[in-house]
Amino acid sequence: MAPVLRLRDLGWTVGGATIVEDVSLAVDEGEFLAFIGPNGAGKTSLFNLISGLVPATRGSIGLDGTDITAEGVPARARRGLGRTFQTSSLWPAMTVAGHVRLAAQAADGGSYRIWRRARPYTDRVGRVLERTGLAGRAGVVAGALSHGEKRKLELAVLLVGEPRLMLLDEPMAGVSAEEVPALTALIRSLHRDEGRTVLMVEHHMDVLLGLADRLAVMHHGTLLALDTPRAVMADRTVQQAYLGEAL
Ligand SMILES: Nc1ncnc2c1ncn2[C@@H]1O[C@H](COP(=O)(O)OP(=O)(O)OP(=O)(O)O)[C@@H](O)[C@H]1O
Ligand SMILES: [Mg+2]
């Protein structure tokens, strides 16, 4: 069986600087692969390449055995590839339900006209809000949510498009310590109970060790190591390059 995602010698050079260099890896269906690495290592840039936000300047990206290197974000989304962003991508004055309804319309290839044909989306929006623990917050504007609720809403916006492969870029960033366990449990459930394939950038090692099947370590734009969490933690090169600084 072909891997869900296969990167071959993937690279991104911009303005003369090579930000991502020769990254090759394969991700199996249902796998949880976590990315760690120092600030500026190229983790977000790699997610930008995989999701189609920036075009690869070298190498290729395969999804379910199809070369998607030349495809843009919408085409990749239609194939089931979705992502969240490191920094919040919400509209403060729009309600929770409004965000999810808009995302549902966008996922259907509809226009961004918010109120037209809103009713057919009510059930779908309700299900996603229930799934992410936001059902009681449907009418609240995003700006009034806690950081943890905002991150849940970003997941809800992603989930309404039913992605099979989810790229989560630091989904715990800015979240208070009390809200981390619930968010971790939600992400674990999306992976284990719903069988979604997950790629996730995260700095909190304690969160990752309970989630990830494998850890990928990025350093200066390259893939320094890719193995089980236990093996990566024991790798001396990794310890010198990253964990020594972070722990
Ligand atoms: N559009 C761009 N043009 C030029 N340089 C860029 C661009 N985008 C990112 N970079 C640079 O690429 C490097 C990698 O950035 P990236 O955001 O991918 O790192 P990261 O591993 O996600 O870091 P962090 O942990 O801080 O989120 C950084 O030095 C950044 O300044
Ligand atoms: Mg980043």
Side-chain angles (χ1 to χ4, degrees):
M1 195 175 73
V4 176
L5 181 72
R6 184 186 286 282
L7 311 180
R8 288 185 211 269
D9 303 322
L10 193 63
W12 185 47
T13 298
V14 60
T18 297
I19 310 295
V20 175
E21 195 171 3
D22 291 338
V23 172
S24 297
L25 58 84
V27 182
D28 285 327
E29 177 103 51
E31 193 179 3
F32 197 122
L33 174 61
F35 288 81
I36 60 171
N39 294 125
K43 306 178 296 296
T44 294
S45 300
L46 183 65
F47 275 24
N48 289 345
L49 287 168
I50 298 170
S51 61
L53 204 63
V54 298
T57 49
R58 202 180 125 75
S60 68
I61 305 166
L63 192 69
D64 299 318
T66 303
D67 190 321
I68 59 159
T69 317
E71 290 186 358
V73 174
R76 294 184 200 196
R78 281 195 294 276
R79 293 183 185 276
L81 195 162
R83 72 169 295 175
T84 63
F85 291 87
Q86 185 169 350
T87 48
S88 186
S89 53
L90 303 173
W91 283 288
M94 183 181 277
T95 64
V96 166
H99 274 91
V100 180
R101 188 160 50 234
L102 192 60
Q105 288 175 306
D108 285 356
S111 70
Y112 280 86
R113 273 178 233 141
I114 303 172
W115 302 113
R116 265 185 78 195
R117 297 189 302 116
R119 184 161 292 163
Y121 291 98
T122 307
D123 289 352
R124 201 161 142 201
V125 170
R127 276 197 301 277
V128 169
L129 293 183
E130 200 70 54
R131 184 73 188 90
T132 48
L134 291 170
R137 307 287 274 161
V140 176
V141 293
L145 298 176
S146 71
H147 289 297
E149 288 173 329
K150 284 180 183 158
R151 290 312 203 179
K152 283 182 180 172
L153 178 53
E154 285 159 8
L155 285 173
V157 163
L158 172 64
L159 285 173
V160 82
E162 288 295 341
R164 291 178 300 119
L165 172 59
M166 306 195 307
L167 275 55
L168 310 179
D169 194 351
E170 301 200 28
M172 312 285 174
V175 174
S176 68
E178 307 87 75
E179 290 184 299
V180 166
L183 205 47
T184 306
L186 173 59
I187 293 169
R188 178 184 288 115
S189 171
L190 296 174
H191 169 238
R192 293 210 186 140
D193 302 336
E194 299 182 11
R196 298 178 202 268
T197 309
V198 182
L199 271 59
M200 176 168 135
V201 177
E202 182 54 59
H203 286 287
H204 297 91
M205 286 300 289
D206 47 342
V207 168
L208 284 183
L209 293 177
L211 286 174
D213 297 312
R214 288 193 297 164
L215 277 188
V217 184
M218 297 279 300
H219 192 58
H220 296 316
T222 65
L223 193 60
L224 188 69
L226 176 60
D227 211 328
T228 61
R230 182 189 288 256
V232 166
M233 299 284 279
D235 187 313
R236 283 189 61 80
T237 322
V238 173
Q239 285 170 2
Q240 281 163 5
Y242 173 61
L243 296 174
E245 301 163 22
L247 290 179

